[in-house]
């Protein structure tokens, strides 16, 4: 259990607050004006005595105030802005006290209490630092005791200041089938904003992640880089503001767009968590730290197992019946995967879900396609010896549904304007507790009637359109925030009742994958784009922030010109699944897939829980290479891809990372396919032994000039 150490006391007694991990230091100090300032953020200081050199904190007009309020003397974007009950729009926070408690051997929480001397506004700043993972997460709580409600119109999760001659920001834009497209720009004086206003399918145009290179562009293996993300399954905003002194202010939070929030006396407004890591060895190290943190603390069943699966979406779309599904379950068995996953199209009777125009909301099995309902499918899967998973999209409704007919007031929809439909559907009003009950009931009913269901794929294909909640009435400004809170209430209930139920989060591809949602999901769907070439780029992007065990990747028929081996080898680096017509595979292709699945299962502990290295970037070369290395450095998997090499281009060896230089390793190619062998005599297609030193300094000649070819090397300590 945790032991609490109270460091706080009167402001005069406590001038310095130290938040640190093994490698990072964040210092706050109280200035002579009684206010709190960030005095240092950077590499961990070795000498305790050096931390006090920053006192007294800069108390000039534009000092680095920890959580600046609006209407004060600062010229820049505030963290907090409140219109008080009397209409006054200023807030100035003074330091009251702070306390630090050890949460476990690794994690420490510091809470800093701030208060306005004029208005009864209290703010608690929370910082949890994870020593081993080098990750800090922080959030704020805002509360007041004014006589009437106040209005919050800025409510950042935190404020961070960086001081460097140059700042380079990498953001990740995208759209359907183009998720996580990176672009980098230098930040100059003024503001750069990354935000979304899409509500549910919030990350459709931009994902909630950023990288900040200090001094130079973020690079994989060197340089100071800050990786940041926000745990909020809705509208987020990151503001980056370089001030006249060249200091960069980073403001992460909920996007306050159309969301001035009315806060009642005594009510606590808790912001989402801002999660960040500062690396001095480039993005690669930062990613591995985030992966460790996610597996240890955030991702549902972060350290647990994952199911390989066969999904039916790409091979059937809405067109299936019992016989076809039972056949697919046999295929799952033949492939050797753990589970069959039934996708969209299984429900709706009055309005059958035969396409995406009808049925959403009516979660009863369609009697034409599935006369014996879900129980028969669960039983059929059991007979085949595979598990059964099922798709739902419980936040949404088609106007052509019985649910809409019965409860038109449960839907987010304008009362007095023409309705705008995205994928022919509307979003249910999760601000309404009755709707929350209903959405929870979708899973609960399926589970009560079919306890054999082993997995859910939770989809979300529409942004919030027609912004109007019938439930909130004149408080429409709370819709975006109350919706997300309603969603969390539902997900929390699901997690409490079904703690061991694996679930995949999907949003018309990869438009939802923030770290708060992933508390409730074991994995997410990266993209509907499963062309293996495109996937190399998309997976490269997501893997910078999320562990590969959380990234669902399926072998499909997108880009059928590529070999089944190439498609499988690309999916193998993540959480492996298939979504193909197994009957169309040639015997040698099927044999290859079976062997790949068997290898994947044999090596899954390494793939799921090892360290991930991005070795050769597809963005910088015509090839790609990545590796998983076990924590004890005894085992590794090296994945090598030729994407679109040019004629007779020079090929460079692939250098490993993360091995023990003093150990010897056996290197052997797995997932071999006839005709794919390397021509170079130096390449280790059969078992050979190398030192870790050689593998990391010299590397292996594994690239070829054959387009879309791949190799996977198993590396084992001798
Ligand atoms: C969008 C998802 O990304 C797909 O995988 C599939 O589940 C469809 N929705 C079903 O409508």
């Amino acid at each position: 259990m945790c032991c609490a150490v109270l460091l706080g006391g009167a402001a005069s007694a406590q001038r310095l607050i130290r938040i640190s991990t093994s490698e990072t230091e964040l210092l706050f100090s109280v200035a002579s004006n009684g206010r709190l300032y960030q005095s240092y953020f950077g590499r961990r200081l070795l000498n305790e005595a050096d931390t006090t050199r920053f006192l007294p904190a800069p108390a000039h007009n534009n000092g680095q105030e920890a959580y600046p309020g609006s209407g004060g003397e600062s010229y820049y974007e505030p963290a907090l802005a409140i219109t008080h009950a009397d209409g006054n729009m200023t807030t100035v926070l003074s330091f009251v006290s702070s306390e630090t408690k050890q949460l476990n051997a690794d994690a420490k929480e510091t809470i800093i209490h701030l208060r306005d001397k004029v208005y009864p506004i209290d703010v608690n700043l929370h910082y949890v630092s994870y020593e081993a993972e080098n990750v800090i997460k922080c959030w704020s709580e805002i509360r007041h005791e004014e006589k009437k409600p106040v209005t919050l119109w800025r409510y950042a999760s935190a404020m961070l200041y960086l001081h460097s001659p140059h700042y380079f920001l990498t953001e990740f834009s995208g759209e359907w089938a183009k998720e996580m497209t990176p672009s980098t720009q230098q930040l100059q004086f003024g503001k750069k904003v990354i935000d979304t206003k899409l509500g549910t399918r919030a990350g459709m145009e931009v994902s909630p992640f950023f990288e900040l290179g200090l001094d130079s562009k973020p690079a994989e293996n060197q340089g100071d880089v800050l990786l940041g993300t926000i745990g909020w399954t809705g509208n987020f905003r990151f503001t980056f503001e370089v001030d006249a002194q060249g200091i960069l202010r980073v403001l992460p939070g909920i996007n306050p767009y159309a969301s001035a929030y009315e806060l009642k006396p005594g009510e606590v407004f808790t912001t989402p968590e801002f999660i960040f890591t500062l690396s001095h060895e480039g993005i690669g190290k930062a990613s591995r730290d985030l992966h460790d943190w996610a597996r240890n603390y955030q991702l549902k069943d972060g350290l647990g197992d994952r199911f390989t699966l066969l999904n039916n979406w790409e091979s059937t779309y809405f067109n299936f019946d019992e016989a076809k599904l039972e056949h697919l379950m046999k295929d799952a068995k033949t492939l050797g995967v753990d589970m069959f996953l039934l996708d969209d199209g299984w429900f709706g009777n009055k309005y059958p879900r035969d396409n995406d125009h009808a049925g959403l909301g009516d979660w009863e099995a369609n009697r034409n396609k599935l006369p014996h309902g879900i129980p028969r499918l669960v039983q059929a899967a059991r007979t085949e010896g595979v598990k059964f998973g099922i798709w739902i999209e419980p936040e949404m409704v088609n106007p052509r549904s019985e649910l809409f007919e019965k409860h038109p007031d449960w839907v987010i929809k304008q009362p007095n304007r023409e309705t705008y439909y995205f994928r022919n559907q509307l979003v249910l009003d999760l601000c309404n507790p009755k709707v929350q009950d209903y959405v929870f009931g979708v899973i609960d009913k399926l589970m009560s009637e079919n306890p054999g269901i082993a997995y859910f794929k939770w989809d979300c294909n529409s942004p919030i359109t027609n912004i109007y909640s019938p439930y909130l009435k004149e408080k429409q400004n709370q819709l975006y925030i109350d919706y997300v809170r309603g969603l969390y209430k539902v997900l929390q209930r699901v997690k409490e009742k079904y703690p061991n139920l694996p679930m995949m989060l999907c949003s018309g591809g990869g438009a939802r994958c923030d770290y708060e949602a992933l508390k409730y999901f074991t994995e997410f769907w990266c993209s509907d784009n499963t062309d293996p070439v495109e996937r190399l780029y998309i997976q490269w992007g997501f893997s910078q922030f999320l562990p590969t065990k959380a990234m669902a990747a399926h072998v499909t028929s997108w880009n059928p010109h590529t070999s089944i081996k190439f498609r499988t080898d690309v999916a193998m680096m993540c959480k492996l699944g298939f979504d193909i017509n197994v009957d169309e595979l040639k015997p040698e292709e099927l044999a290859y897939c079976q062997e790949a699945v068997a290898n994947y299962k044999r090596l899954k502990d390494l793939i799921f829980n090892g360290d991930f290295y991005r070795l050769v970037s597809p963005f910088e070369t015509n090839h790609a290479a990545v590796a998983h290395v076990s924590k004890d450095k005894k085992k590794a998997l090296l994945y090598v891809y030729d994407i679109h090499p040019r004629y007779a281009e020079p090929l460079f060896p692939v250098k490993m990372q993360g091995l023990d230089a003093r150990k010897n390793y056996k290197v052997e190619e797995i997932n071999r396919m006839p005709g794919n062998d390397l021509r170079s005599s130096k390449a280790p297609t059969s078992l050979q032994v190398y030192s870790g030193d050689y593998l990391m300094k010299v590397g292996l000649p594994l690239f070829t000039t054959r387009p879309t070819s791949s190799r996977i090397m198993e590396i084992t300590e001798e």
Side-chain angles (χ1 to χ4, degrees):
M1 253 322 283
C2 62
C3 75
V5 186
L6 199 66
L7 299 176
S12 57
Q14 178 172 342
R15 316 297 300 177
L16 182 75
I17 298 162
R18 191 173 181 193
I19 291 150
S20 51
T21 69
S22 52
E23 292 171 56
T24 304
E25 190 94 64
L26 177 59
L27 295 180
F28 294 103
S29 51
V30 183
S32 50
N33 61 3
R35 285 156 66 180
L36 185 74
Y37 295 84
Q38 179 190 305
S39 41
Y40 175 78
F41 175 51
R43 287 188 190 205
R44 171 87 184 245
L45 297 171
L46 294 179
N47 306 309
E48 179 89 35
D50 290 340
T51 61
T52 61
R53 289 183 186 276
F54 299 98
L55 296 175
H60 56 74
N61 280 355
N62 282 299
Q64 302 174 29
E65 190 158 12
Y67 201 69
S70 65
E73 67 277 15
S74 171
Y75 311 140
Y76 300 101
E77 190 68 25
L80 176 67
I82 300 176
T83 302
H84 298 282
D86 65 0
N88 191 306
M89 296 174 79
T90 65
T91 299
V92 179
L93 297 170
S94 294
F95 177 77
V96 177
S97 65
S98 79
E99 64 205 55
T100 299
K101 57 188 174 189
Q102 198 74 41
L103 300 178
N104 58 37
D106 182 39
K108 207 190 258 183
E109 177 168 14
T110 299
I111 307 172
I112 306 173
H113 306 286
L114 306 174
R115 183 171 298 150
D116 191 319
K117 286 183 178 156
V118 177
Y119 287 90
I121 301 282
D122 284 283
V123 172
N124 292 337
L125 305 180
H126 292 254
Y127 296 85
V128 180
S129 53
Y130 298 86
E131 174 80 9
E133 294 84 359
N134 188 32
V135 166
I136 297 177
K137 69 173 187 182
C138 48
W139 70 98
S140 310
E141 287 168 348
I142 305 156
R143 192 180 171 280
H144 73 95
E145 289 297 346
E146 298 197 16
K147 297 220 158 49
K148 290 196 211 137
V150 304
T151 304
L152 307 181
W153 42 281
R154 289 287 184 277
Y155 28 77
S157 295
M159 181 103 170
L160 261 193
Y161 299 84
L162 293 119
H163 206 180
S164 175
H166 308 287
Y167 308 101
F168 294 89
L169 174 72
T170 301
E171 59 186 310
F172 297 87
S173 62
E175 52 184 81
W176 180 80
K178 281 175 85 175
E179 290 84 348
M180 286 300 272
T181 308
S183 57
T184 302
Q185 59 185 270
Q186 184 165 6
L187 299 177
Q188 309 278 8
F189 175 81
K191 272 188 230 170
K192 156 80 188 171
V193 171
I194 303 174
D195 72 354
T196 168
K197 305 178 182 74
L198 295 174
T200 36
R201 194 170 164 176
M204 186 162 70
E205 303 288 310
V206 65
S207 293
F209 309 114
F210 71 82
E211 293 167 353
L212 260 177
L214 307 179
D215 274 341
S216 52
K217 287 186 182 175
E220 188 63 28
N221 293 312
Q222 69 276 330
D224 287 356
V225 58
L226 177 79
L227 264 62
T229 182
I230 187 150
W232 185 246
T233 318
N235 295 350
F236 59 82
R237 185 170 83 167
F238 299 112
T239 305
F240 304 89
E241 186 170 25
V242 180
D243 69 18
Q245 287 83 38
I247 294 170
L248 171 63
R249 294 141 184 266
V250 180
L251 268 172
I254 297 175
N255 188 353
Y257 162 80
S259 298
Y261 199 90
E262 189 185 291
L263 191 68
K264 296 187 203 74
E267 186 185 339
V268 179
F269 184 94
T270 305
T271 71
E273 291 170 359
F274 172 52
I275 299 141
F276 63 93
T277 180
L278 182 65
S279 159
H280 317 300
E281 294 160 51
I283 307 165
K285 161 80 165 60
S287 302
R288 287 185 287 282
D289 282 342
L290 274 177
H291 298 171
D292 282 342
W293 171 80
R295 282 184 296 231
N296 289 336
Y297 294 104
Q298 198 75 8
L299 182 63
K300 183 173 183 186
D301 198 17
L303 296 168
D305 199 2
R306 298 290 184 273
F307 296 142
T308 52
L309 59 85
L310 175 67
N311 190 190
N312 71 310
W313 176 242
E314 298 276 335
S315 60
T316 67
Y317 293 108
F318 297 97
N319 180 19
F320 54 80
D321 58 18
E322 251 168 32
K324 218 180 210 178
L325 297 184
E326 287 176 15
H327 185 82
L328 286 169
M329 291 176 200
K330 282 195 194 333
D331 289 344
K333 177 76 178 165
T334 306
L335 280 171
V337 295
D338 301 308
M339 184 168 67
F340 170 72
L341 170 61
L342 172 59
D343 214 285
D344 196 353
W346 59 266
F347 48 89
N349 281 299
K350 183 169 174 191
Y351 300 100
R353 181 74 171 168
D354 291 333
N355 52 47
D356 62 18
H357 287 257
L360 271 185
D362 300 345
W363 301 103
E364 297 288 342
N366 176 279
R367 283 187 289 275
N368 282 336
K369 291 183 199 177
L370 307 172
H372 303 96
I374 300 302
R376 166 69 78 99
L377 299 178
V378 176
Q379 183 49 47
R382 193 173 293 133
T383 307
E384 289 305 330
V386 293
K387 297 183 190 305
F388 178 80
I390 194 163
W391 178 98
I392 50 171
E393 192 178 3
E395 296 161 80
M396 303 284 162
V397 63
N398 283 125
R400 294 188 61 218
S401 67
E402 291 182 70
L403 180 71
F404 187 77
E405 285 177 348
K406 222 185 287 167
H407 298 289
D409 56 329
W410 280 10
V411 175
I412 294 177
K413 187 172 170 301
Q414 283 288 332
N416 51 5
R417 290 183 197 278
E418 208 181 318
T419 308
Y420 168 66
Y421 298 98
F422 192 104
R423 210 198 190 204
N424 318 301
Q425 64 196 58
L426 293 167
V427 181
L428 289 173
D429 185 7
L430 271 177
C431 306
N432 183 343
K434 281 195 189 136
V435 179
Q436 293 165 21
D437 288 344
Y438 160 80
V439 175
F440 169 72
V442 173
I443 284 201
D444 197 35
K445 185 162 180 289
L446 277 163
M447 284 303 287
S448 328
E449 290 171 2
N450 307 281
I453 293 179
Y455 182 92
F456 279 87
K457 172 177 176 183
W458 179 306
D459 206 346
C460 164
N461 284 293
S462 174
I464 299 183
T465 54
N466 316 287
I467 321 299
Y468 184 89
S469 153
Y471 177 77
L472 288 175
K473 300 198 171 72
E474 73 284 356
K475 294 209 178 125
Q476 296 302 318
N477 46 323
Q478 318 226 153
L479 191 162
Y480 285 120
I481 294 177
D482 286 358
Y483 183 93
V484 179
R485 290 182 175 163
L487 173 66
Y488 291 153
K489 282 187 189 151
V490 173
L491 292 173
Q492 185 59 31
R493 282 168 76 182
V494 173
K495 192 172 173 179
E496 273 163 20
K497 188 149 182 198
Y498 305 102
N500 303 317
L501 184 63
M503 304 213 293
M504 181 209 283
L505 181 57
C506 173
S507 184
R512 242 186 187 182
C513 57
D514 68 278
Y515 267 122
E516 188 63 22
L518 287 173
K519 271 186 183 168
Y520 307 102
F521 293 88
T522 45
E523 60 228 54
F524 73 97
W525 182 231
C526 301
S527 179
D528 280 351
N529 189 339
T530 46
D531 174 335
V533 170
E534 296 303 322
R535 269 292 179 132
L536 281 174
Y537 297 87
I538 292 169
Q539 291 170 192
W540 185 275
F542 276 123
S543 75
Q544 297 181 37
F545 294 88
L546 297 147
T548 54
K549 80 187 295 184
M551 294 165 48
H554 295 177
V555 179
T556 73
S557 299
W558 280 55
N559 199 347
H561 307 298
T562 59
S563 68
I564 195 79
K565 170 170 169 60
F566 187 73
R567 284 179 261 159
T568 309
D569 286 359
V570 170
M572 283 265 293
M573 75 160 90
C574 294
K575 210 229 71 170
L576 178 66
F578 289 79
D579 198 346
I580 45 169
N581 191 338
V582 175
D583 292 340
E584 287 173 5
L585 294 175
K586 297 189 191 112
E588 66 275 17
E589 291 178 327
L590 177 59
Y592 165 81
C593 291
Q594 288 166 325
E595 192 186 320
V597 171
N599 281 331
Y600 189 84
K601 288 180 158 181
R602 179 172 62 79
L603 296 162
K604 64 184 177 181
D605 184 48
L606 165 63
I607 298 170
F608 292 161
N609 302 317
D611 284 330
F612 188 65
Y613 289 86
R614 287 178 297 271
L615 304 171
V616 179
S617 167
F619 290 95
E620 289 163 15
T621 71
N622 299 331
H623 310 265
V626 298
H628 285 107
V629 180
S630 67
K631 292 279 175 196
D632 60 9
K633 298 182 185 292
K634 288 185 172 176
K635 192 108 195 141
L637 266 189
L638 169 60
Y639 311 71
V640 178
Y641 308 97
D642 305 305
I643 306 172
H644 35 64
R646 299 191 59 189
Y647 172 75
E649 70 165 45
L651 296 172
F652 296 93
V654 182
K655 294 181 192 169
M656 271 298 292
Q657 290 183 37
L659 299 176
D660 184 336
R662 287 153 308 182
K663 283 187 172 141
N664 280 334
Y665 293 93
K666 290 184 285 187
V667 178
E668 189 170 22
E669 184 175 0
I670 60 165
N671 281 16
R672 290 182 67 180
M673 180 94 181
N676 190 65
D677 286 343
L678 285 160
R679 282 164 210 155
S680 158
S681 55
K682 290 196 200 117
T685 48
S686 61
L687 195 148
Q688 289 190 30
V689 176
Y690 301 85
S691 70
D693 193 47
Y694 182 91
L695 291 172
M696 293 192 289
K697 287 183 181 158
V698 182
L700 297 175
L702 295 170
F703 286 136
T704 77
T705 51
R706 271 176 280 163
T708 60
S709 79
S710 56
R711 275 149 301 287
I712 299 186
M713 314 304 289
E714 184 174 347
I715 301 176
T716 313
E717 182 192 19
E718 238 209 339

